[in-house]
Amino acid sequence: LKHADLNNFNLLLKFSIDSIKKNKKIIFFGNGGSAADSQHLATELTVRFKKNRKAIPAIALTTDGSVLTAIGNDFKFDKIFSRQIEALGNRGDICIALTTSGNSKNLIEAMKVAKKKKILTFCFSGNNGGKIKKYTQYPIIIPSKDTDKIQVIELFLGQVLCGLIENSI
């Protein structure tokens, strides 16, 4: 990672700890494998990473099949995350998009809504950041175009984040 991306990761850690102390939540989302990683990371915080401790408020927007299919059907797929952020996101929360391409319209739409709601936005993105970096306050760019490598590093960074949060709370 470049220096700016490491700085953004450090800001993600700091802002996440501050948000949790204020009873705010961390919101993860992504498509495909990144959706699964979003669920994994939210679970690490909500349940436990390595030690028993107070539950940390975190959610993956990828888990509610009824919501996802209703939004996709009644609106369009581009709105599956932004509509949930509109409903569930609050000022002081943290949004983290996981993406290998950085170009998914549904992730970009979610970042736009988060910005309007004064929610801090971060992403783990490959592909030189893709289009999402323009809509993300603190992009963390993984220097690869290879999906498998990007996903491994996304999950690694997420696991490091979870461990550091757990040790700080």
Side-chain angles (χ1 to χ4, degrees):
L1 296 179
K2 293 181 180 176
H3 184 71
D5 301 304
L6 291 173
N7 283 343
N8 285 349
F9 183 84
N10 287 332
L11 288 172
L12 173 58
L13 175 62
K14 177 194 180 314
F15 292 145
S16 294
I17 292 167
D18 291 346
S19 292
I20 292 162
K21 288 180 179 176
K22 294 174 184 170
N23 294 316
K24 301 298 180 178
K25 66 189 157 302
I26 301 175
I27 302 169
F28 295 94
F29 51 97
N31 295 308
S34 297
D37 290 343
S38 296
Q39 291 171 222
H40 184 159
L41 296 172
T43 300
E44 298 285 27
L45 294 175
T46 302
V47 181
R48 69 186 297 259
F49 183 68
K50 290 189 177 182
K51 60 186 178 183
N52 293 329
R53 41 112 177 116
K54 180 181 171 190
I56 295 170
I59 187 171
L61 301 181
T62 57
T63 60
D64 190 330
S66 297
V67 167
L68 294 170
T69 57
I71 295 168
N73 183 62
D74 295 352
F75 295 92
K76 57 184 177 176
F77 186 76
D78 293 356
K79 302 291 183 188
I80 64 168
F81 299 130
S82 60
R83 185 76 172 169
Q84 292 183 79
I85 291 171
E86 183 181 338
L88 302 171
N90 297 299
R91 184 182 188 136
D93 289 341
I94 305 288
C95 276
I96 305 172
L98 281 68
T99 174
T100 57
S101 73
N103 294 321
S104 300
K105 290 181 183 179
N106 58 358
L107 301 179
I108 292 167
E109 289 300 315
M111 292 306 204
K112 290 177 182 177
V113 170
K115 182 179 179 180
K116 286 180 189 172
K117 293 194 79 170
K118 308 259 191 266
I119 298 170
L120 292 173
T121 57
F122 293 83
C123 70
F124 296 155
S125 179
N127 194 31
N128 295 318
K131 294 176 186 172
I132 198 169
K133 71 180 174 188
K134 295 176 188 171
Y135 302 95
T136 304
Q137 290 167 287
Y138 303 101
I140 299 165
I141 310 303
I142 297 161
S144 179
K145 292 183 185 278
D146 296 330
T147 298
D148 57 330
K149 291 179 181 128
I150 297 164
Q151 287 178 329
V152 166
I153 295 170
E154 282 177 350
L155 189 55
F156 171 77
L157 290 172
Q159 293 279 17
V160 169
L161 177 68
C162 291
L164 292 169
I165 289 171
E166 185 174 86
N167 288 333
S168 299
I169 299 297

